[in-house]
Amino acid sequence: MSTPLPEHPAHLWRTPDPRSSYDVVIVGGGGHGLATAHYLASVHGITDVAVLEKGWLGGGNTARNTTIIRSNYLWDETTALYEYALKLWETLPDELDYDVMFSQRGVLNLAHTLQDVRDSARRVGANRLNGVDSHWLEPEEIAEVCPILNTSPRSRYPVLGATYQPRAGIAKHDHVAWALARSADAHGIDLIQGCEVTGFVTDGGRVTGVATTRGPIHAGRVGLTVAGHSSVLAERAGFRLPVQSHPLQALVSELHEPVHPTVVMSNHVHVYVSQAHKGELVLGAGVDGYNGYGQRGAFHVIERQMAAAVELFPVFARAHVLRTWGGIVDVTPDASPVIGATPLENLFVNCGWGTGGFKATPAAGWAFAHTLATGAPHPLNAPFSLDRFTTGALIDEHGAAAVAH
């Protein structure tokens, strides 16, 4: 007689009312906010923490992305951050005692032009110098990794080669949010949903708390992890961030048997494709060209995305779209994040991830937790301060970040 499976708990975390004060308040209950809370407790022993979310936990960009995880960026600073994230992803299920369904199926970044080939070769070399598992594949090798990809030289966008990172892959976004939330709650951190931050309590140039729809909350330190709405909250605090928010669209098909064994990304025609654990084909597009905070975008972007996908994967012509959605990405002038102090004392920000936020989740939380706990940056996030836009020490990742178009 088989042993019955244990019943899934009715609730993974408490739903407490906010207290009047905390040592640390984290604004934003997405992956980065929850990861920050988890590492504040598990690494730094700080548990007098509240995570404030105006909607529900993991309901923003965490639930509105294509879940691709990779570390094959160009510059040393960015590669260090994303490679650390990838290493954390590899141990996260054991650390959290929760299956986040991290599937290391590899990522192909296609090259369609001679300039793509040069840029890709440069990136592979830079990756190897930084210990990242990056390889250059010829078209015949690509066909072995992904047989359904059209590698014919007669195609509209001929594939001249690709970079390949075998350790990269995808994870289940809601499982990630639930696992991190459960861990934070188990450490005694308050996760407060339906609580929007409407302003900041200040004393001179120092932040001492936040004003919310559920009353004022005092805090020793405040961390902002609100992705596309970072510029909105910064303005409420009295300063401007060098970010622009854009809609970013994606879609899924109905369920199919496993046909797509890896992840394929193409900056040139701008589409990226994987197959989810349940069987949906997941297709991502480029950012819409206008600034906005709406979780939807323009139809022509979806149209071009689908045309590119069918050109690269002729078998997808028979698939049917199940649903589309949009997230809000905040992009900096150099397509790299901002993680660190703000002009106001005790107020810190983690923003500007563009299309790379989900893949960075554990490392972003690790580094931001260190900053909130100590008041100083971790070596991982020290290069990503606001000061770089004054000093000129930019980290231009437009090409590798896939937001170049």
Side-chain angles (χ1 to χ4, degrees):
M1 183 175 178
S2 60
T3 304
L5 294 172
E7 184 178 350
H8 195 280
H11 300 284
L12 291 174
W13 54 83
R14 298 169 293 119
T15 55
D17 291 323
R19 303 202 313 267
S20 60
S21 67
Y22 294 89
D23 288 343
V24 178
V25 165
I26 299 168
V27 184
H32 286 211
L34 294 170
T36 302
H38 163 70
Y39 288 118
L40 275 173
S42 64
V43 175
H44 301 280
I46 299 174
T47 57
D48 186 21
V49 177
V51 178
L52 311 182
E53 170 55 48
K54 72 175 183 179
W56 63 92
L57 297 180
N61 279 2
T62 301
R64 292 174 172 269
N65 69 93
T66 53
T67 72
I68 297 170
I69 295 167
R70 61 187 177 90
S71 64
N72 57 343
Y73 282 71
L74 176 62
W75 298 109
D76 295 351
E77 300 89 343
T78 323
T79 302
L81 188 60
Y82 283 104
E83 178 64 13
Y84 191 72
L86 182 51
K87 290 177 179 177
L88 289 175
W89 279 112
E90 291 171 331
T91 60
L92 206 58
D94 289 336
E95 178 184 342
L96 299 177
D97 191 26
Y98 200 106
D99 184 10
V100 300
M101 302 180 76
F102 178 40
S103 171
Q104 291 180 281
R105 58 186 65 184
V107 169
L108 287 165
N109 291 83
L110 305 182
H112 297 278
T113 68
L114 290 177
Q115 188 59 49
D116 283 348
V117 173
R118 297 186 195 100
D119 292 341
S120 298
R122 179 190 182 197
R123 183 140 53 107
V124 167
N127 288 164
R128 289 185 173 183
L129 287 172
N130 282 307
V132 175
D133 57 318
S134 187
H135 311 277
W136 171 257
L137 301 185
E138 297 294 336
E140 58 273 14
E141 296 173 300
I142 296 170
E144 294 179 7
V145 174
C146 187
I148 63 171
L149 181 65
N150 181 10
T151 56
S152 168
R154 296 182 298 276
S155 65
R156 183 180 178 189
Y157 306 107
V159 175
L160 304 183
T163 66
Y164 182 52
Q165 185 179 16
R167 289 169 53 241
I170 61 172
K172 187 72 172 172
H173 54 78
D174 48 4
H175 283 220
V176 174
W178 297 341
L180 291 168
R182 187 180 75 154
S183 172
D185 176 79
H187 282 98
I189 290 173
D190 285 353
L191 308 178
I192 304 167
Q193 303 174 82
C195 182
E196 181 177 1
V197 171
T198 57
F200 296 86
V201 182
T202 60
D203 181 6
R206 183 166 58 97
V207 169
T208 59
V210 293
T212 80
T213 52
R214 298 179 66 174
I217 301 175
H218 297 284
R221 286 180 176 146
V222 177
L224 303 181
T225 59
V226 293
H229 287 95
S230 299
S231 56
V232 176
L233 283 184
E235 294 228 3
R236 290 176 184 171
F239 67 96
R240 295 187 64 186
L241 286 170
V243 299
Q244 292 185 342
S245 293
H246 295 261
L248 177 68
Q249 299 183 78
L251 61 86
V252 295
S253 73
E254 77 276 82
L255 303 183
H256 293 281
E257 293 296 324
V259 294
H260 188 24
T262 185
V263 181
V264 172
M265 306 182 67
S266 171
N267 274 19
H268 186 74
V269 298
H270 219 110
V271 68
Y272 31 103
V273 187
S274 64
Q275 188 167 16
H277 298 83
K278 290 193 299 182
E280 310 103 311
L281 300 171
V282 184
L283 282 72
V287 297
D288 278 82
Y290 63 91
N291 299 131
Y293 301 97
Q295 291 176 320
R296 63 187 186 279
F299 177 76
H300 74 274
V301 174
I302 291 286
E303 185 179 33
R304 292 172 183 170
Q305 164 197 15
M306 294 173 67
V310 172
E311 183 70 35
L312 293 172
F313 301 91
V315 69
F316 290 176
R318 294 183 178 273
H320 295 91
V321 174
L322 179 65
R323 60 187 174 90
T324 70
W325 66 88
I328 313 166
V329 297
D330 49 334
V331 183
T332 62
D334 61 356
S336 289
V338 175
I339 323 168
T342 72
L344 296 176
E345 187 180 348
N346 296 336
L347 180 63
F348 301 84
V349 67
N350 168 15
C351 71
W353 290 91
T355 61
F358 181 79
K359 64 178 68 72
T361 296
W366 176 284
F368 201 44
H370 176 95
T371 300
L372 287 173
T374 66
H378 188 277
L380 283 172
N381 65 298
F384 299 97
S385 68
L386 275 172
D387 293 345
R388 75 178 188 272
F389 299 105
T390 301
T391 64
L394 303 182
I395 308 167
D396 191 349
E397 286 287 2
H398 276 94
V403 292
H405 302 290

